[in-house]
């Protein structure tokens, strides 16, 4: 019989997400390679012209090394395949209207005035702003030099730009073909400047933006082509500006946002292409905001949210395609947010929830594709509502009920259960647990 701990469970869900993203990245990398080769040929045919290289790198005085600049989404490139332009030569960009490839702005604290870039209206590649992690405070404060930019066919990456205070210079930007990534900023308080963006081609990735208090500026956003990933933004309290967001074609991953109190402004989302992962948000109390969902294609992970009291918000979800994991939520008192769910295609793990007294809310779940795992819930006294008829219908599965010291009764589940296509392990629960119930469950297993 398989033994699955919490780490293995998380790994299973993570593998599914990784495989989906890896597939998307592989396709993107192939397209990127072909585009890069075409641009290189054009560059070699037009030596000396400004802004025609597959990758243009602009900087203040200190020319960056390639290792600093290369990595996804920008393909690896040799120095002789790129154009490096220092601040003293920015004037050559004043007549450039469009770039055939990528533009990297390396902020070494000496960029100065970037108004020479204001006539660029389209970048047929990625635009990356990369800070040099200088503590001088002399880095770029705004993006006003890009006020003419309307289209980026690739990704917009804002990385390590600790002195940057505003995105408002991007106010004319209407299209981002790939990802919008903002990582490791200190002074950006909101997303003003992205007011014209209705769709992001792939992932919206906001990570470790210590000054970010609001997503104001993203009110027009309706679709995200892959993931909505929001992690480690310590002052972000809500998603109010995303009130018009309707479709996320990948995952919603919301992790480690310590001031986040509510998800209610995501209520207009009606479709998620893969799964939901809500982890490590210290003051989040419920999942209100997901009421528009009736199904989740992949998994639902609700983990390590110490103030979470309920799963309210998931009450209209009828089916979860892969795993359902509710773990390490200290304050959760019931599972009634799952009241409409009838099927879980992967495993169910209810583990390490310090205040959970029962399985109330899981009455309608009749089929589980893999394991049912109930571990280390110190206050649970009964399995109550649990009415699963078939366990392991997908790849086989086990029932593991272990180390729940107050669990005395399995409720009516032994009578409702028809088959377990795997084994059973029920140990280290209350000494007064009904042994007949345990035997009844065990008798339904196909493995001893």
């Amino acid at each position: 019989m398989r033994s699955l701990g919490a780490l293995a469970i998380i790994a299973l869900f993570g593998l599914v997400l990784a495989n989906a993203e890896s597939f998307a990245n592989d396709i993107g990398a192939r397209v990127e390679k072909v585009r890069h080769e075409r641009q290189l040929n054009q560059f070699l045919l037009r030596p000396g012209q400004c802004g025609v290289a597959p990758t243009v790198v602009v900087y203040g005085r200190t020319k960056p090394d390639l290792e600093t600049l290369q990595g996804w989404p920008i393909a690896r490139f040799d120095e002789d395949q790129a154009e490096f332009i220092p601040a003293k030569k920015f004037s050559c960009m004043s007549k450039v209207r469009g770039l055939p490839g990528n533009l990297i702005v390396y902020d070494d604290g000496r960029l100065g005035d970037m108004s020479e870039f204001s006539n660029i209206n389209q970048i047929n590649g990625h635009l990356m702003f990369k800070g040099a992690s200088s503590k001088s405070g002399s880095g770029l404060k705004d993006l006003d030099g890009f006020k003419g930019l309307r289209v980026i066919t690739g990704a917009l990456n804002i990385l390590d730009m600790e002195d940057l205070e505003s995105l408002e210079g991007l106010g004319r930007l209407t299209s981002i073909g790939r990802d919008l990534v903002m990582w490791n900023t200190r002074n950006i308080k909101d997303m003003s400047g992205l007011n014209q963006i209705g769709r992001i081609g792939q992932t919206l990735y906001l990570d470790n933006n210590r000054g970010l208090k609001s997503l104001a500026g993203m009110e027009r956003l309706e679709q995200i082509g892959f993931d909505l990933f929001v992690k480690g933004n310590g002052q972000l309290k809500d998603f109010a500006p995303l009130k018009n967001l309707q479709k996320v074609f990948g995952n919603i991953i919301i992790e480690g946002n310590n001031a986040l109190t509510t998800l209610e402004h995501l209520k207009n989302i009606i479709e998620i292409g893969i799964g939901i992962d809500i982890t490590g948000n210290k003051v989040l109390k419920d999942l209100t905001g997901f009421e528009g969902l009736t199904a989740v294609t992949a998994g639902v992970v609700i983990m390590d949210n110490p103030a979470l009291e309920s799963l309210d918000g998931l009450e209209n979800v009828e089916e979860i395609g892969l795993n359902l994991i509710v773990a390490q939520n200290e304050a959760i008192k019931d599972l009634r947010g799952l009241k409409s769910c009838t099927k879980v295609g992967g495993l169910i793990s209810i583990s390490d929830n310090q205040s959970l007294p029962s399985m109330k809310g899981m009455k309608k779940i009749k089929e589980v594709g893999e394991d049912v795992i109930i571990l280390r819930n110190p206050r649970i006294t009964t399995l109550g509502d649990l009415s699963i008829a078939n366990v392991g219908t997908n790849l086989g599965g086990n029932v593991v009920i272990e180390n729940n010291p107050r669990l005395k009764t399995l409720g009516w589940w032994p009578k409702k259960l028809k088959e377990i296509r795997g084994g059973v392990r029920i140990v280290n629960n209350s000494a007064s647990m009904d042994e007949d119930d345990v035997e009844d469950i065990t008798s339904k297993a196909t493995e001893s």
Side-chain angles (χ1 to χ4, degrees), residues 20-171:
E21 190 154 9
S22 176
F23 177 76
N25 287 347
D26 286 345
I27 296 298
R30 292 176 189 177
V31 173
E32 184 79 10
K33 182 178 179 181
V34 172
R35 185 176 66 83
H36 178 79
E37 289 173 350
R38 289 176 179 173
Q39 290 161 0
L40 179 59
N41 290 334
Q42 293 173 359
F43 175 46
L44 296 174
L45 289 171
R46 292 184 286 176
Q49 291 191 33
C50 193
V52 298
T55 297
V56 175
V57 181
V58 300
Y59 59 97
R61 294 184 187 177
T62 306
K63 183 178 177 180
D65 62 78
L66 294 184
E67 290 301 318
T68 300
L69 303 178
Q70 295 185 135
W72 188 257
I74 296 176
R76 296 188 66 85
F77 58 90
D78 295 327
E79 188 164 337
D80 60 359
Q81 298 173 350
E83 183 178 0
F84 289 81
I85 304 175
K88 63 183 180 181
K89 295 185 178 180
F90 281 178
S91 59
C92 80
M93 296 295 294
S94 62
K95 295 182 181 180
V96 176
R97 299 292 185 270
L99 293 175
N102 308 311
L103 174 61
I104 301 175
V105 180
Y106 180 70
D107 187 2
D108 59 358
R110 304 284 184 89
L111 283 169
D113 181 16
M114 299 202 72
S115 60
E116 303 285 5
F117 293 77
S118 62
N119 288 319
I120 297 174
N121 58 59
Q122 180 161 331
I123 296 174
N124 292 311
H126 308 298
L127 171 58
M128 181 169 77
F129 295 91
K130 178 71 170 72
S133 300
S134 171
K135 296 182 179 180
S136 66
S138 59
L140 207 60
K141 299 291 193 298
D142 60 59
L143 302 180
D144 291 351
F146 295 86
K147 63 184 179 181
L149 187 60
R150 295 178 182 273
V151 175
I152 301 170
T153 64
L156 170 59
N157 283 10
I158 300 168
L159 313 175
D160 295 316
M161 296 290 289
E162 298 218 351
D163 293 330
L164 190 64
E165 297 175 353
S166 171
L167 305 180
E168 291 189 4
L170 300 175

Side-chain angles (χ1 to χ4, degrees), residues 242-428:
L242 297 186
K243 60 185 178 181
N244 291 315
L245 183 61
Q246 298 177 27
K247 295 182 179 182
V248 177
F249 291 101
N251 304 288
I252 292 182
I253 302 171
I254 301 173
E255 180 179 343
N257 302 284
N258 291 339
L260 186 66
T261 60
T262 180
L263 305 176
E264 64 178 329
H265 302 100
L266 300 177
K267 62 184 178 182
N268 287 319
I269 295 178
I270 57 175
E271 182 178 346
I272 295 176
I274 302 181
I276 297 172
D277 186 343
I278 311 296
T279 298
N281 302 285
K282 285 187 176 180
V283 295
L284 186 66
K285 291 189 174 181
D286 58 43
L287 303 181
T288 300
F290 290 128
E291 293 90 341
L293 299 176
T294 58
V296 178
T297 304
V300 174
V301 175
I302 312 297
M303 186 171 178
D304 193 23
N305 302 286
L308 192 74
E309 297 177 353
S310 76
L311 301 183
D312 291 355
L314 297 177
E315 55 265 27
N316 294 318
V317 174
E318 297 175 359
E319 184 172 335
I320 296 171
L322 288 175
N323 302 331
L324 169 62
I325 299 172
V326 182
Q328 300 175 22
N329 302 290
E330 296 175 12
I332 197 164
K333 293 180 172 62
D334 66 65
L335 303 174
R336 285 181 293 185
L338 299 170
K339 65 181 183 180
S340 297
C341 188
T342 61
K343 179 180 178 181
V344 175
L347 61 83
I348 291 178
S349 176
I350 311 296
S351 306
D352 300 293
N353 300 291
Q354 302 300 310
S355 303
L356 186 67
S358 73
M359 295 287 106
K360 192 169 185 178
M362 298 183 70
K363 186 175 182 179
K364 288 190 176 182
I365 299 177
K366 304 300 182 186
E367 181 180 332
V368 177
E370 297 181 28
D371 303 310
V372 174
I373 301 171
I374 302 171
L375 292 176
R376 297 182 299 271
N377 301 284
R379 293 186 179 274
I380 196 167
T381 59
T382 176
L383 298 192
D385 274 12
L386 208 60
S387 302
I388 300 166
N390 295 287
V391 175
T393 57
N394 186 9
L395 300 173
N398 307 302
V399 170
V400 179
I401 304 172
E402 187 171 349
N403 292 325
N404 304 284
R406 297 188 185 182
L407 182 60
K408 296 180 179 180
T409 174
L410 303 182
W412 56 61
W413 190 30
K415 306 303 180 187
K416 300 284 185 177
L417 182 63
K418 295 179 180 178
E419 183 182 34
I420 302 169
R421 295 182 184 176
V424 174
R425 178 180 173 84
I426 303 177
V427 296
N428 298 332

Side-chain angles (χ1 to χ4, degrees), residues 190-208:
D190 59 41
M191 306 297 285
S192 296
L194 300 176
N195 308 65
Q196 304 298 319
I197 302 296
R199 184 181 186 277
I200 294 171
Q202 290 193 7
T203 293
L204 172 57
Y205 186 103
L206 303 174
D207 187 359
N208 194 33

